[in-house]
Amino acid sequence: MKYTEAHALGGGQALADPPTTPAPCPLFWPEEEQHGVRYVPLQADLSEEVSPLMPRLRELAAIGDALRSLQTREGAAVSTEAVDALAERTGEMLNELADDMEGEPAEIVRMRAQAFLEGGSHAEAAAREGNLYELVPLTVLCGPQCTWRLKTPTPLHTVVAAAACPQYDAVVRSLDDSLEQATADLRRELDLPELRLDESYPMRVTDMVACGGEANAYPKHFAYFLPEDEAVPGEPGQRKKTIVFRNAYRDRFTVISEPLGEAIFAGPQRDPNVAVERALLSWFRGHDIGHTATLPSTDYPSWHYDLGHEPFMMMQEAVADIYGLLLALTPSWLSLAGLSAVDVTDVFLAELLHYLRRGPWLHGDAGAAYLELSYLLAEGYMELAPDGRVHWEMERLHEGLRSLAKEMAKAVLEPTDAEACKRLVATYGWPAKTPAAEVLARLQGELRGIPSALAYRAA
């Protein structure tokens, strides 16, 4: 059975009658008048196990680009003959890769190969990848994958290869080991003795070494949540993990976020002698865990849809941002990561601008960034100067973060109805007329020349 006869590449379901003139899905999104793309090399310290595999991985990614270019938004094939040929070659290459790998990672790659060669489901391999908690020498994601929810209605073909980054993976593991102490610190700091932060699913730190297909479209991700980003819906009790690409995250920050921060913010700056990856990973792990923040009365199902799905998702991101940042600012986490409070906060603020520029009317994370900046500016914890620069100092901003976290506890974590959250959103969320609107105008106006996306090339 041909690959395209078995299922659409995106959804793993039988193909419906193709459109009369099928059109491939564009690579860019959101559709804006201008995109700034900067090429960066995919640099990584490769182990003896991974280095010999690089030519094959690069070819697999190039084939992934070709296969993805033959898909419609719905995942249907523009040319079934071409897609079948590329899928067959993909399966062959995956089997060749598995021959040079060991243990469970090799078994997963063989399962991925079988799905391409026999037209079966990709779900079993994706679920097994999500179950694999240990850091392994090489991770290969190849098959249907989600990227941007508003971009396509179905997952599209992607290829990502990632090599283990043990140095920074150890940083994240040390933070996880100290979560209980950091949570106790945060409870005292916020006077929320019943605050709960659960151990989130594991986060494994890698370096991206090859990228093709939908993952190589714009804008690119620096992390994936598995297996749901591989189009496998979460099931109760299902094991999951986050895989983050240190080099892609660092480059995205250096090329996009940092220049935005330097243009907008006037305040203390992080130590240039401290690797920025430490601050990025500490903050991002805090955000990951921040999504688990609850109080005994937390009951989202009782008011989620009364607030509205999009505002609810925005507030979930805002809670994760603020509680995650405060977690990263606890003495235990700062000490373990080898950071100062300024190191973490400076990185967070630059990243906030990166998300905000995407449009708070489009995405939950951008809406959260708007609400956070609105609150801090409107309540006087930061100051917008006449020249358009935002002035801040560490102690005052830290006070503002604590204040916002307490407001979120009252509006999001404690209530059993949506009224308090509606008031918070109406006061500080988009399109409330706060100084954050002026910052957004600069980001989308005079600062449009700063790139909005990265393109990768081999180092």
Side-chain angles (χ1 to χ4, degrees), residues 25 27 58-71 86 90 157-159 210-217 220 456:
C25 178
L27 294 175
R58 293 190 184 108
E59 182 180 349
L60 184 68
I63 292 173
D65 284 335
L67 207 159
R68 160 65 178 80
S69 72
L70 294 169
Q71 290 180 288
L86 291 170
T90 296
H157 179 70
T158 203
V159 175
C211 183
E214 179 60 16
N216 207 26
K220 295 175 172 62
Y456 301 134

Side-chain angles (χ1 to χ4, degrees), residues 49-50 53 94-95 97-113 125 128-129 131-141 162 164 241:
E49 298 160 277
V50 175
L53 305 179
L94 288 170
N95 274 331
L97 275 171
D99 289 340
D100 290 323
M101 298 170 66
E102 296 180 351
E104 190 168 3
E107 294 176 14
I108 294 172
V109 170
R110 289 198 190 282
M111 292 172 66
R112 295 185 186 279
R128 192 161 171 182
E129 181 64 55
N131 270 327
L132 184 56
Y133 280 5
E134 290 307 308
L135 185 68
V136 298
L138 178 66
T139 299
V140 178
L141 309 178
K241 70 178 177 184

Side-chain angles (χ1 to χ4, degrees), residues 283 287 316-326 348 365 368-369 372:
W283 134 246
H287 174 93
Q316 291 297 297
E317 293 300 325
V319 166
D321 279 354
I322 298 304
Y323 282 83
L325 176 57
L326 287 171
F348 167 80
D365 47 15
E372 293 153 21

Side-chain angles (χ1 to χ4, degrees), residues 287 291 310-322 348 352 355-356 359-361 363-376 404 408 428-430 436:
H287 174 93
H291 273 295
E310 292 297 334
F312 178 80
M313 296 305 296
M314 178 192 77
M315 290 309 302
Q316 291 297 297
E317 293 300 325
V319 166
D321 279 354
I322 298 304
F348 167 80
L352 181 147
Y355 287 102
L356 178 61
W361 52 88
H363 312 291
D365 47 15
Y370 187 89
L371 183 142
E372 293 153 21
L373 187 60
S374 287
Y375 181 90
L376 294 169
L404 180 52
M408 288 179 174
Y428 303 106
W430 175 264

